[in-house]
Amino acid sequence: MGADCLFCKIINRELPADIVFEDDELVAFNDISPQAPTHMLIIPKKHIATVNDLTDAEIDLPGKLILRAKAIASEKGIAETGYRLIMNCNEQGGQTVFHVHLHLLGGRQLTHLG
Ligand code: 5GP
Ligand code: ZN
């Protein structure tokens, strides 16, 4: 666990969250400040601070995050209308929580990035 990591605390149930999926490796929960009707975060249980910290040991992890997001999008009924998957990295990428997470956004027309 990362010291004082918000998302590690959610994984460990030290902080409440609206968790909609959990398995041995991943947890998914609703974003506390949703930017779209569906805004979920899919995270690894392993504490990895940023995309920069991913190594060959995590070669399968991004695929698992994306496949889980795909399944949740389907469950939410937004697979066909469409959705956006985002991973922010460090300050200029807009990262504010330093535990790798994949945003799943959908349920409305999204506008351009940036
Ligand atoms: P980032 O900006 O790092 O890519 O995304 C962090 C996301 O975590 C933000 O969308 C923010 O709203 C969300 N967030 C921050 N604190 C909490 C929290 O305590 N609970 C939940 N569910 N989401 C949080
Ligand atoms: Zn963490």
Side-chain angles (χ1 to χ4, degrees):
M1 162 155 172
D4 292 327
C5 172
L6 199 61
F7 288 174
C8 283
K9 287 180 179 170
I10 286 175
I11 292 163
N12 294 329
R13 307 301 201 275
E14 293 167 32
L15 280 177
D18 190 6
I19 293 175
V20 301
F21 176 84
E22 178 170 21
D23 67 10
D24 288 348
E25 290 181 283
L26 308 181
V27 172
F29 50 94
N30 289 320
D31 196 291
I32 203 169
S33 177
Q35 304 299 305
T38 294
H39 186 177
M40 305 202 48
L41 303 171
I42 301 100
I43 69 173
K45 286 188 170 175
K46 180 178 181 182
H47 179 82
I48 302 165
T50 80
V51 170
N52 287 339
D53 300 301
L54 290 170
T55 69
D56 286 353
E58 288 87 38
I59 189 74
D60 293 333
L61 180 61
K64 288 177 179 174
L65 292 172
I66 291 172
L67 288 176
R68 181 49 49 192
K70 181 193 89 163
I72 293 170
S74 181
E75 289 165 12
K76 296 278 181 185
I78 59 170
E80 299 309 319
T81 48
Y83 54 90
R84 183 174 290 165
L85 303 178
I86 302 172
M87 294 181 86
N88 296 325
C89 183
N90 276 340
E91 186 179 352
Q92 291 196 352
Q95 187 175 8
T96 58
V97 178
F98 288 84
H99 180 129
V100 161
H101 50 281
L102 181 65
H103 293 259
L104 164 62
L105 291 148
R108 68 168 171 83
Q109 182 62 54
L110 299 171
T111 54
H112 290 295
L113 293 173

